[in-house]
Amino acid sequence: MELLCPSAKRRRSEDLAAGEPPPRATEATEAANLGPTTHSKEPPPPPDAGGGGDVDRISGLPDAVLGEIVSLLSTKEAGRTQILASRWRHVWLASPLVIDGRDLWTKPKIFTAANEALASAVSKILSAHPGPGRRFCVPPHYLHDRPATVDAWLSSPALHNLQELDFWEGKHMVHRYGRPYPLAPPPASTFRFSATLRVSTLSKCELPDSSVEGIHFPHLKQLGLENVSFSEGSLHTMISSCPVLECLLLNGIFGVGCLRISSNTLRSIGVGTDFDCYRDNLHRDNLQLLEEVIIDAPCLERSLYLGSFKPTNFIIISSPKLETLGCLNNDWFERTRLVFGTIIIQGLKVVSLTTTLNSVKTLAVASHNMNLDTVIELMKCFPCLENLYIKSCITGEMNRWRHKHRDFIKSCDIHLKKIVLRYRGIKSQINFASFFLLNARELELMRLEVGNTNYNEAFFAEQYGMLQMEKRASRGMNSTITVYQKADLLLSCKLQTFSSRSSRASSMSSISHQSLRSSGLDS
């Protein structure tokens, strides 16, 4: 029993002396233990000088507290707590059930074997646990492959009062289909939790009108819809049925041309169609993508545009609290028209500017040809900007600014505190970075992200001099050149605005999934 701590060993001895059978792995524990178990050969740590090293303080906590602790563990770890000692034997069964397919999925050589193992494990855990349920997460392809099994899972008493429902498919799952599989509707049992759900993500499915008719989600705060086929009426019905909705992700919504969202509670939204969703649906006939989104949300704080492969109008009618905006893009296939009151931005070009949006503090932009002129024009729209994230490398013009932008420097205060951009050390990028280094008096951090090849200490030393760091306007600034193997600076945006996947304990106040799986942006 090398895995037991001293206090657990002592409890085991006490159990045996009292004639109680030792804790054994239940069927659910074995189901959760899909991967190999590593037995540590290191000796236990010695007790402290005061003799308190043998005291098991955790096991002395009330059952309710232990149950909450167990519910925050991974599915595997939670099941394994039953073999610690008799004190823990019933804690897992009394704690809210969390089943997360990410914890149970193994990286297989054969997809079908891992698929069967995951389905078997989920069935065993549901049959062993009495409930109630807190979180249930399984891959969406089960909706197509095993509709009856999914229906039986969702009908299980173990999921009574479920708070989080997520049909998820991890990036590491190599699907066995050579092409995207047909979208299937979720079983009717999916919506039996409508009265208790607080977080929900539906993906790779079809929602017919009949499935959402009359539905109501009184407590749902975070809703993610990815790669979902809807009618326009059904989508409006579903969103309007969430009176306390705070975070909304619409990534790859098909069948809807125009969407109007009116909400007094919405704080974060992500809309668009990323490349994965678009690629998976190219084979579908009469593919209808969103062409216009109109948002009236006075409490909106974060707005993330995911991109599209069709020109889109993105209109925010009222947004006095909007603080985070991204990711603006001027690629040829993403000529999105963003409208904020009298501010109109086509791609990255400011078309109309009669008033400014002073609430925006964080901005993310991406382009294959970014220059200083473009960034300065955007700063005029958002004069209180504090954080700027630039996904693409600065290229194109030389970005000379001393004479060209001297009026801007004299008349405008630059409030930027943090700048992050990809960097290669070419002249245009040096001029771009030095503009902010020499003129942004409040700048606290500039992070230059470079690739991991052909850069050494000599390169860093040379850049320090060429950027004129000794003349920087902000004396308290921290400037770093960071080497990244993969500088996915803003693609992580998609994964941060919606928090159901980023933490096991659902933080209802935070906004971070594969939604928005970011408003992104790194902290």
Side-chain angles (χ1 to χ4, degrees):
M1 305 303 298
E2 296 88 355
L3 294 179
L4 295 181
C5 62
S7 56
K9 290 182 179 180
R10 186 179 69 253
R11 290 180 181 276
R12 176 65 57 85
S13 300
E14 293 171 355
D15 294 343
L16 294 176
E20 295 185 24
R24 64 184 182 84
T26 63
E27 188 179 54
T29 307
E30 294 168 353
N33 189 20
L34 295 180
T37 301
T38 302
H39 294 271
S40 173
K41 297 186 181 297
E42 296 182 3
D48 58 26
D54 200 36
V55 177
D56 182 1
R57 300 186 186 278
I58 294 181
S59 293
L61 295 172
D63 285 355
V65 176
L66 291 179
E68 285 299 312
I69 293 173
V70 169
S71 69
L72 300 180
L73 299 175
S74 70
T75 305
K76 286 184 180 182
E77 292 167 342
R80 289 170 181 167
T81 59
Q82 297 177 91
I83 65 172
L84 291 176
S86 60
R87 173 71 178 86
W88 289 84
R89 196 177 306 168
H90 305 295
V91 172
W92 177 72
L93 293 173
S95 65
L97 177 61
V98 174
I99 296 180
D100 194 325
R102 296 175 301 178
D103 300 330
L104 301 175
W105 181 262
T106 57
K107 295 182 180 179
K109 293 182 178 179
I110 303 177
F111 177 86
T112 53
N115 209 29
E116 290 292 338
L118 175 57
S120 176
V122 171
S123 296
K124 289 179 179 179
I125 293 172
L126 288 173
S127 65
H129 200 286
R134 171 168 292 176
R135 173 169 171 76
F136 185 72
C137 171
V138 293
H141 67 259
Y142 283 157
L143 295 172
H144 175 265
D145 293 352
R146 304 164 181 259
T149 301
V150 174
D151 189 33
W153 289 342
L154 297 176
S155 300
S156 170
L159 296 183
H160 185 58
N161 289 332
L162 191 68
Q163 296 182 26
E164 301 182 25
L165 176 62
D166 189 354
F167 288 103
W168 148 91
E169 186 160 63
K171 296 292 185 182
H172 62 280
M173 295 179 65
V174 181
H175 205 275
R176 65 186 175 89
Y177 293 101
R179 59 180 179 81
Y181 48 86
L183 300 181
S189 54
T190 302
F191 300 105
R192 79 178 183 95
F193 311 110
S194 59
T196 59
L197 278 180
R198 284 160 171 76
V199 177
S200 181
T201 303
L202 299 178
S203 60
K204 297 191 176 182
C205 64
E206 178 183 12
L207 287 175
D209 295 349
S210 58
S211 65
V212 299
E213 185 176 353
I215 204 167
H216 186 60
F217 298 95
H219 303 293
L220 192 65
K221 292 189 175 183
Q222 297 182 4
L223 174 63
L225 301 170
E226 296 188 86
N227 208 335
V228 177
S229 177
F230 263 112
S231 72
E232 191 168 312
S234 293
L235 182 55
H236 281 102
T237 297
M238 190 162 190
I239 294 175
S240 62
S241 69
C242 307
V244 297
L245 189 65
E246 295 181 357
C247 177
L248 176 63
L249 169 70
L250 301 174
N251 181 21
I253 300 301
F254 304 102
V256 179
C258 178
L259 174 64
R260 185 181 183 106
I261 299 172
S262 179
S263 171
N264 291 323
T265 60
L266 194 65
R267 295 172 51 215
S268 181
I269 187 170
V271 179
T273 302
D274 65 16
F275 177 75
D276 289 339
C277 285
Y278 183 71
R279 177 198 58 201
D280 289 349
N281 290 275
L282 279 175
H283 67 287
R284 306 191 192 282
D285 295 331
N286 301 319
L287 188 63
Q288 172 68 63
L289 298 174
L290 273 174
E291 297 178 1
E292 185 171 73
V293 180
I294 304 173
I295 302 172
D296 184 2
C299 293
L300 191 67
E301 298 173 1
R302 290 172 287 271
S303 176
L304 173 66
Y305 180 67
L306 304 177
S308 181
F309 294 84
K310 190 173 185 178
T312 307
N313 288 327
F314 194 79
I315 304 170
I316 298 181
I317 296 177
S318 174
S319 56
K321 298 182 179 180
L322 185 65
E323 293 186 357
T324 300
L325 177 64
C327 179
L328 304 188
N329 197 312
N330 71 341
D331 288 336
W332 67 270
F333 51 86
E334 296 191 22
R335 296 283 179 163
T336 302
R337 184 172 177 264
L338 300 176
V339 180
F340 306 93
T342 60
I343 299 175
I344 301 176
I345 302 174
Q346 186 85 32
L348 289 178
K349 183 180 180 181
V350 179
V351 177
S352 173
L353 176 62
T354 57
T355 60
T356 59
L357 195 57
N358 297 336
S359 61
V360 173
K361 300 294 192 297
T362 301
L363 176 67
V365 295
S367 171
H368 290 301
N369 187 18
M370 182 69 67
N371 59 59
L372 182 60
D373 295 350
T374 299
V375 172
I376 288 178
E377 289 302 309
L378 291 173
M379 289 172 60
K380 292 177 182 178
C381 297
F382 314 113
C384 297
L385 196 64
E386 296 181 357
N387 305 295
L388 176 62
Y389 297 81
I390 302 177
K391 176 184 170 183
S392 52
C393 282
I394 306 299
T395 57
E397 301 176 7
M398 294 302 292
N399 291 317
R400 294 188 176 93
W401 53 266
R402 293 185 184 275
H403 298 289
K404 187 175 185 179
H405 296 296
R406 59 186 175 185
D407 291 339
F408 174 79
I409 296 171
K410 290 179 180 179
S411 61
C412 299
D413 292 329
I414 300 176
H415 297 286
L416 281 172
K417 296 181 179 180
K418 180 178 181 179
I419 302 176
V420 182
L421 68 149
R422 295 181 180 177
Y423 191 77
R424 289 186 290 128
I426 60 178
K427 186 61 177 177
S428 63
Q429 295 171 359
I430 293 172
N431 289 340
F432 182 94
S434 64
F435 171 83
F436 294 102
L437 288 171
L438 301 179
N439 296 290
R441 295 182 177 86
E442 300 178 31
L443 194 62
E444 297 174 357
L445 172 66
M446 175 177 286
R447 193 172 82 194
L448 308 176
E449 299 193 341
V450 302
N452 64 333
T453 58
N454 301 325
Y455 297 105
N456 50 36
E457 292 301 323
F459 167 80
F460 297 142
E462 179 187 34
Q463 292 302 310
Y464 186 89
M466 297 185 72
L467 290 169
Q468 304 178 70
M469 287 294 298
E470 295 297 337
K471 298 180 180 179
R472 60 189 183 275
S474 175
R475 306 310 299 177
M477 194 200 86
N478 175 21
S479 178
T480 63
I481 299 180
T482 307
V483 178
Y484 277 70
Q485 290 186 355
K486 292 183 179 179
D488 279 343
L489 175 55
L490 291 178
L491 292 184
S492 63
C493 271
K494 289 189 298 182
L495 298 177
Q496 293 172 11
T497 302
F498 197 65
S499 60
S500 65
R501 297 181 188 168
S502 60
S503 66
R504 249 175 248 298
S506 89
S507 167
M508 300 301 178
S509 61
S510 110
I511 261 257
S512 326
H513 167 312
Q514 188 182 9
S515 172
L516 289 125
R517 282 185 231 182
S518 183
S519 29
L521 312 177
D522 124 337
S523 54

